[in-house]
Amino acid sequence: MLDRATDTSAKDDTARRVRFRGAGFVPASSRFGGWIALALVIAIWQAAGSAKLVNPLFLPPPSAIVRAIYELAISGALWQHLSASLLRIGVGWVLGTAAGVVVGFAIGLSRLARSVGITFISALFPIPKIALLPLLILWLGIGEEPKIATIALGVFFSTAISVYSGVDAVPRNLIRMAQSFNVPFATIVRKVVWPGALPAILAGFRITASVALLLVVSAEMIGAQYGIGAFVLQAGNLMQTDQLLAGVVILSVFGLAVGKVIGWLEVKLLHWR
């Protein structure tokens, strides 16, 4: 009887064996899938341009865009425009990010700062920052300061929102446990709140990098002699669509490079996930 019971149990276990489904939601991505898709789109685009299916005035082929970028690089105009834009983005992003991190942590950790800060952020965040450029020119004069201030304002609000949202997302049980062991407030912020809010902060950096890129192009189109935005506007006015798209490609490459840098930071700083 015992042998028969054991055999039946073994058969039941074999019949119930299923594939493990508890691996979590971690979508796998192909390492070269995106590049292959991009190369395919560029090849189709080039073929359509070579076959004269598309008017090059409206959509020049990739070869013409590459040639325009090469000519700009040889002449030195590319580096002049690119350096001006990078300077404005770098200074504006750093200033806006530093202020946004400080204000975001204050809102997330202080009741008084939250009651005051969220009110002002909710009122001022929806305002298009580029609309403030004429006012900033009146305040700061004609030069680099208004453009940098416009970028800093746009980066500041997005950073502050992502930071205090990340602080709010930190499990309160961890904070209470640290408080129960009489851990100093500064240590709790450094050891508990900062690591817990870091994923949201880095995600906010991706957003603010795009915001800075959009604002610098807009600001340069309104009032700048040099910069990628000024170059794109000038090319569009002269109907030089190959140079216009060359500027767009440069902006796209810059955005891709920033995304790669932030991804590298996520791997290095969030290794505990």
Side-chain angles (χ1 to χ4, degrees):
M1 293 296 291
L2 291 176
D3 293 339
R4 292 180 61 185
T6 304
D7 294 341
T8 303
S9 176
K11 291 180 180 179
D12 290 343
D13 291 341
T14 304
R16 293 172 185 170
R17 187 175 298 164
V18 295
R19 183 174 57 87
F20 178 67
R21 302 191 183 98
F25 185 72
V26 184
S29 60
S30 175
R31 184 176 181 180
F32 303 105
W35 294 107
I36 293 173
L38 180 61
L40 182 61
V41 170
I42 293 175
I44 295 174
W45 182 4
Q46 180 64 42
S50 301
K52 305 298 182 182
L53 298 177
V54 181
N55 190 336
L57 179 63
F58 297 104
L59 187 63
S63 58
I65 298 173
V66 172
R67 185 167 57 252
I69 295 175
Y70 175 77
E71 292 174 355
L72 288 170
I74 293 299
S75 65
L78 173 62
W79 314 117
Q80 189 176 27
H81 291 295
L82 190 59
S83 61
S85 295
L86 289 178
L87 177 63
R88 293 163 185 151
I89 291 174
V91 176
W93 188 86
V94 169
L95 292 177
T97 298
V101 169
V102 172
V103 172
F105 268 100
I107 293 175
L109 299 173
S110 171
R111 181 178 300 177
L112 177 61
R114 176 179 291 267
S115 60
V116 175
I118 289 183
T119 301
F120 279 94
I121 288 177
S122 300
L124 300 177
F125 177 65
I127 299 175
K129 307 307 176 291
I130 195 64
L132 300 176
L133 182 59
L135 183 61
L136 293 174
I137 291 176
L138 290 176
W139 290 350
L140 303 176
I142 299 175
E144 298 299 325
E145 292 83 0
K147 304 176 187 63
I148 293 174
T150 302
I151 297 169
L153 281 174
V155 170
F156 165 76
F157 287 100
S158 299
T159 302
I161 292 173
S162 65
V163 169
Y164 81 70
S165 298
V167 173
D168 289 344
V170 176
R172 288 300 181 259
N173 291 337
L174 297 178
I175 298 176
R176 296 189 186 99
M177 182 173 63
Q179 290 173 336
S180 66
F181 284 99
N182 200 26
V183 178
F185 176 76
T187 305
I188 294 176
V189 173
R190 189 176 68 255
K191 297 292 187 179
V192 179
V193 178
W194 170 255
L198 194 55
I201 295 174
L202 293 177
F205 284 176
R206 290 183 181 273
I207 298 174
T208 56
S210 301
V211 169
L213 194 60
L214 292 172
L215 288 175
V216 74
V217 172
S218 302
E220 289 171 349
M221 285 183 173
I222 293 176
Q225 185 177 2
Y226 299 107
I228 299 299
F231 169 74
V232 168
L233 180 63
Q234 180 182 5
N237 292 334
L238 298 176
M239 297 298 291
Q240 297 173 335
T241 51
D242 56 343
Q243 296 191 15
L244 188 153
L245 287 179
V248 172
V249 169
I250 292 169
L251 293 173
S252 178
V253 171
F254 177 75
L256 181 63
V258 171
K260 292 293 184 181
V261 171
I262 296 176
W264 177 81
L265 285 176
E266 289 178 341
V267 172
K268 294 298 181 180
L269 297 178
L270 304 180
H271 55 85
W272 42 267
R273 289 203 299 180

